[in-house]
Amino acid sequence: GEDVEQSLFLSVREGDSSVINCTYTDSSSTYLYWYKQEPGAGLQLLTYIFSNMDMKQDQRLTVLLNKKDKHLSLRIADTQTGDSAIYFCAFSGARPGNAGNMLTFGGGTRLMVKP
Amino acid sequence: DAGVIQSPRHEVTEMGQEVTLRCKPISGHDYLFWYRQTMMRGLELLIYFNNNVPIDDSGMPEDRFSAKMPNASFSTLKIQPSEPRDSAVYFCASIGGGFGDLLYGYTFGSGTRLTVV
């Protein structure tokens, strides 16, 4: 099965760039995701990347995928206080013994943006 | 579609009482998941259904927890009797069964914040 690790906390100053990292063990995932959870809310899909891509950019967000090192990162440029949230990486792929559209989530990184 | 709908948003109950959490998935989604989130343990998968059938309930903490999905548009998670350590935010999520549905990932509800006193 998939083991996914994220650091627990990240603190940055407003206007700086944030880089949230994720390492994983299973290289068979087709889709790799980043979810954002704002305080008091559910998880919302922020962006995704196909496993055959190395990079995806979407406005202030840049996703980098290093398949060799099994490392996924999310860079947020010009971080704002509204970016303060918990960020989860997630990977598609079946759980052992089961089939279907299963996602495995990392433990989440709490991003704190200081004014 | 209004998204995944969970009710209630907040529930405060006394220890020993029965608690029922409800979820309406997105119409047409074949998979439904129940998660629990706490500060200590993070996001935990409790159980998931495929076409209304429970597939994996290995994450259910103990026999006090049960989940049902009587039809494609409704699921419940029941705790009986509830204990203070069950206090958490419970999320429901759904996804379609086609490979192309992976493009959109899971859609999560807003969660039910349960407090057992």
Side-chain angles (χ1 to χ4, degrees):
Chain A
E2 182 74 81
D3 285 327
V4 183
E5 291 194 4
Q6 295 183 242
S7 52
L8 286 177
F9 297 103
L10 177 65
S11 179
V12 300
R13 294 216 170 270
E14 191 174 19
D16 288 349
S17 292
S18 307
V19 180
I20 301 169
N21 296 303
C22 183
T23 58
Y24 59 96
T25 57
D26 185 353
S27 57
S28 65
S29 297
T30 305
Y31 292 87
L32 302 94
Y33 309 86
W34 283 102
Y35 278 79
K36 177 183 181 183
Q37 183 184 26
E38 296 184 350
L43 282 70
Q44 288 198 308
L45 182 63
L46 199 56
T47 187
Y48 68 90
I49 189 169
F50 291 111
S51 59
N52 62 357
M53 298 168 66
D54 297 323
M55 185 180 83
K56 178 180 180 182
Q57 190 152 358
D58 183 1
Q59 299 182 333
R60 292 189 299 120
L61 304 178
T62 303
V63 179
L64 293 177
L65 175 60
N66 183 329
K67 290 183 283 292
K68 175 176 172 291
D69 294 338
K70 296 183 181 177
H71 184 261
L72 179 72
S73 66
L74 173 69
R75 179 177 180 270
I76 306 173
D78 187 24
T79 313
Q80 303 297 307
T81 54
D83 295 324
S84 293
I86 303 175
Y87 291 81
F88 293 87
C89 59
F91 299 81
S92 68
R95 285 159 64 91
N98 297 292
N101 288 352
M102 296 294 301
L103 270 60
T104 300
F105 286 83
T109 299
R110 186 177 295 270
L111 174 65
M112 183 180 299
V113 183
K114 298 178 180 178
Chain B
D1 200 311
V4 175
I5 307 297
Q6 290 188 249
S7 64
R9 285 283 278 139
H10 302 274
E11 176 81 40
V12 180
T13 191
E14 289 185 348
M15 183 174 66
Q17 296 297 307
E18 178 180 293
V19 175
T20 300
L21 312 181
R22 297 171 176 80
C23 176
K24 180 181 186 308
I26 288 178
S27 177
H29 278 189
D30 300 323
Y31 289 85
L32 183 142
F33 305 85
W34 281 102
Y35 284 87
R36 178 172 70 175
Q37 186 179 37
T38 60
M39 287 291 289
M40 291 296 294
R41 303 170 83 92
L43 194 66
E44 300 174 276
L45 176 64
L46 300 178
I47 185 172
Y48 80 94
F49 295 82
N50 178 212
N51 291 324
N52 313 339
V53 176
I55 302 300
D56 184 356
D57 65 353
S58 60
M60 297 285 261
E62 46 197 275
D63 292 344
R64 297 184 297 105
F65 285 69
S66 62
K68 294 181 179 179
M69 192 164 185
N71 57 62
S73 59
F74 183 64
S75 177
T76 59
L77 178 68
K78 187 177 293 186
I79 309 172
Q80 166 63 17
S82 58
E83 296 182 4
R85 59 192 167 118
D86 301 331
S87 298
V89 181
Y90 291 82
F91 288 104
C92 177
S94 69
I95 188 172
F99 184 74
D101 292 296
L102 284 171
L103 188 64
Y104 307 102
Y106 289 178
T107 301
F108 282 81
S110 298
T112 295
R113 181 173 295 276
L114 174 65
T115 303
V116 184
V117 297

